[in-house]
Amino acid sequence: LPRHRAMAPKRQLPAPRAEEEGEAGTATTAVAPPANKSPRSCSTAEAAASIVAGASTLTTSAKAVAKGAEAVARTPTARRPRAAEGLVLVHWNVGGLNGLLTGKSAEERKALLVNLVGAEQPDVLAISEHKLQQKNVEAAAKALRELLPGYTPHWAVCTAKNGYSGIVALVRDGLAPTVELDTVCGGLKEGRTITLSFDDVHVVLAYVPNSGQKLERLDYRIGTWEPAMRAQLRSLGASKPIVLLGDLNVCHLDTDIWNVEAKHIPKSAGCTPREREAFGALLADGPYVDCFRQLWPDATGAFSYWSTRSGNQLLNRGLRLDYAVASAALVADGSPLALHDCAYLAEYAPNGDHAPSLVAFTRATA
């Protein structure tokens, strides 16, 4: 990938703690959040510590730590201060919104969500794999408005089967993009994309189909989804630059896989040669850039997903499955809307699974 010279960074992103494939752990009793702490008053550190304390100590990584295993090192990727004028986009695959709102460690997870929005103040927050049925959207929307006032939700819901897929875009009040739902392979009826069209950019929020444990959807992913996504981006890009943000379910480079040498990797969803090549084809089609690699081309150990079952956040044994992709024009000199920052916020995923991903752009002022 072409290199991009980042401006002087100031703020350091804390290193994540771990990832791997392995056996299921034995659940332990969840630790209650600090006494008298609501989601709005519980700090990120307090919420994270409570979640970690309630996690299993019998995972593969926990056993490896006991035997002296060392964590996968992560290259420091310093954050940049928020631009005075610009666009901040955050995506988070939460693996079920109802679980976040009402499930185990719900108070802590809600605190992490509130703190994420408070710290980053995104213009758009996309939550993918919400898994809600249409009948449950109203209650979830009410709960989100109470947690995150000042945002309007736009929902794409899977109607093909219950408890599956889906993505919601929370747009900051005062912004009024044109909203289109399920514009890529809409016939699937799986609620996988939301397109927000602003005056100077199209933003496509996506939860890309997983190829499956037995790669049963790999042919569909490569033969149908990938061409449809490229065609959609090409069509949108004819009028203004595009940003594609979300869980793209692929590990593009070897450095995006903690154990790339393992024999099972080429046969694992997101890591097959066909999927990795398809992502390269998408980048070339724009041309587009992988925003994180544009800023940090040589970073290692920078992952966005860790197996919760294996407790892999503990050793930073992870995968980079979540991306911000942008038109190459957005990194060109003199662009009125220009790439400013891109980060994986691992502190909000203390027990693994997906971390929030952020991409920020700065707008030139007259």
Side-chain angles (χ1 to χ4, degrees):
L1 292 176
R3 290 174 178 261
H4 177 70
R5 185 177 179 183
M7 296 182 184
K10 285 188 177 181
R11 189 154 54 98
Q12 186 70 37
L13 179 65
R17 297 188 330 161
E19 153 75 67
E20 166 192 54
E21 294 298 318
E23 66 197 77
T26 301
T28 60
T29 303
V31 175
N36 302 318
K37 290 279 187 175
S38 72
R40 294 191 182 284
S41 61
C42 187
S43 73
T44 298
E46 288 172 330
S50 181
I51 290 172
V52 170
S56 171
T57 58
L58 300 178
T59 63
T60 303
S61 284
K63 293 176 182 178
V65 169
K67 294 179 180 179
E70 295 184 358
V72 175
R74 177 176 180 177
T75 302
T77 52
R79 294 290 307 280
R80 298 186 61 197
R82 185 184 177 102
E85 297 289 339
L87 183 68
V88 178
L89 311 170
V90 172
H91 163 265
W92 195 359
N93 178 328
V94 300
L97 183 57
N98 191 53
L100 184 152
L101 295 173
T102 65
K104 178 183 176 182
S105 301
E107 293 306 307
E108 295 92 334
R109 294 185 70 192
K110 287 189 287 187
L112 292 175
L113 178 62
V114 169
N115 293 345
L116 168 66
V117 171
E120 303 298 343
Q121 300 179 43
D123 296 298
V124 176
L125 170 64
I127 297 176
S128 68
E129 202 177 1
H130 62 64
K131 298 184 179 182
L132 296 180
Q133 299 178 53
Q134 189 63 51
K135 66 181 181 180
N136 303 128
V137 163
E138 184 177 352
K142 181 176 183 292
L144 286 176
R145 288 192 196 97
E146 291 174 352
L147 279 175
L148 307 173
Y151 287 86
T152 299
H154 303 274
W155 299 84
V157 176
C158 175
T159 58
K161 59 180 178 178
N162 295 334
Y164 186 68
S165 189
I167 187 167
V168 55
L170 286 88
V171 178
R172 183 169 56 80
D173 291 350
L175 301 177
T178 300
V179 180
E180 293 184 275
L181 307 178
D182 246 356
T183 54
V184 179
C185 297
L188 271 182
K189 299 181 179 180
E190 291 183 359
R192 291 194 174 272
T193 62
I194 297 177
T195 301
L196 306 174
S197 295
F198 295 91
D199 290 343
D200 52 359
V201 66
H202 296 292
V203 176
V204 179
L205 307 168
Y207 174 41
V208 172
N210 188 296
S211 292
Q213 194 168 18
K214 297 181 179 179
L215 302 182
E216 62 272 15
R217 297 192 84 180
L218 179 59
D219 286 344
Y220 176 84
R221 162 83 180 262
I222 300 301
T224 302
W225 177 274
E226 293 291 341
M229 175 61 83
R230 291 197 298 270
Q232 173 70 2
L233 297 182
R234 201 179 305 125
S235 175
L236 292 171
S239 59
K240 62 187 78 170
I242 67 96
V243 175
L244 169 64
L245 177 68
D247 177 359
L248 303 192
N249 262 318
V250 65
C251 294
H252 183 215
L253 305 178
D254 285 357
T255 49
D256 298 329
I257 306 170
W258 82 270
N259 57 344
V260 69
E261 304 88 357
K263 292 182 180 179
H264 69 275
I265 287 298
K267 300 177 183 179
S268 299
C271 299
T272 66
R274 293 173 68 190
E275 290 167 299
R276 297 174 69 186
E277 290 166 5
F279 187 77
L282 182 147
L283 292 179
D285 195 59
Y288 310 112
V289 298
D290 173 345
C291 293
F292 182 80
R293 289 295 173 200
Q294 185 73 9
L295 297 175
W296 306 103
D298 302 318
T300 60
F303 305 125
S304 70
Y305 169 85
W306 305 263
S307 168
T308 300
R309 183 183 67 176
S310 298
N312 283 339
Q313 173 74 302
L314 189 62
L315 287 172
N316 192 31
R317 294 175 171 179
L319 305 172
R320 191 168 73 102
L321 297 173
D322 302 82
Y323 294 79
V325 171
S327 296
L330 297 179
V331 298
D333 291 342
S335 175
L337 183 70
L339 178 63
H340 179 73
D341 194 14
C342 189
Y344 296 108
L345 309 177
E347 62 267 39
Y348 297 99
N351 197 37
D353 208 68
H354 290 266
S357 51
L358 173 146
V359 65
F361 299 87
T362 182
R363 282 192 175 98
T365 54

